[in-house]
Amino acid sequence: MTQGEMLIAEILLSVLRGQRTLVQLKRQLADGMAYVEERGVLVEKELLLALAAMDSAIRRIEAEKIKYTRIRDN
């Protein structure tokens, strides 16, 4: 398992446990992206990896939400 995959798993687990919400996660991603845009190439590699993991986790959560909403609505 790569470092990125481990970060994604940790993020998904924190949402599952109720330690974070999807809204909080999206806000953290937006704040991080604004910081990267402001700083440019001077950001740490770890920050970019964390932001990519957040983006991936958000996409997975939203994809699963759509899947379960369709099942429930049928």
Side-chain angles (χ1 to χ4, degrees):
M1 186 178 260
T2 68
Q3 184 180 6
E5 291 170 333
M6 289 183 353
L7 282 172
I8 293 167
E10 290 173 13
I11 293 167
L12 292 173
L13 190 57
S14 71
V15 171
L16 183 63
R17 289 181 174 163
Q19 297 166 331
R20 278 180 170 163
T21 66
L22 184 58
V23 172
Q24 290 171 328
L25 196 57
K26 286 181 177 182
R27 182 64 194 176
Q28 286 177 324
L29 178 61
D31 290 346
M33 294 302 290
Y35 178 78
V36 168
E37 202 169 302
E38 178 183 309
R39 297 291 306 242
V41 297
L42 302 175
V43 296
E44 301 81 20
K45 178 179 148 185
E46 291 80 18
L47 175 61
L48 295 176
L49 184 61
L51 292 174
M54 277 188 231
D55 184 52
S56 180
I58 289 168
R59 290 173 192 253
R60 289 182 187 192
I61 291 167
E62 289 177 338
E64 291 296 314
K65 188 188 310 183
I66 290 170
K67 182 172 88 176
Y68 289 110
T69 300
R70 274 191 258 153
I71 292 170
R72 188 185 69 218
D73 290 343
N74 285 332

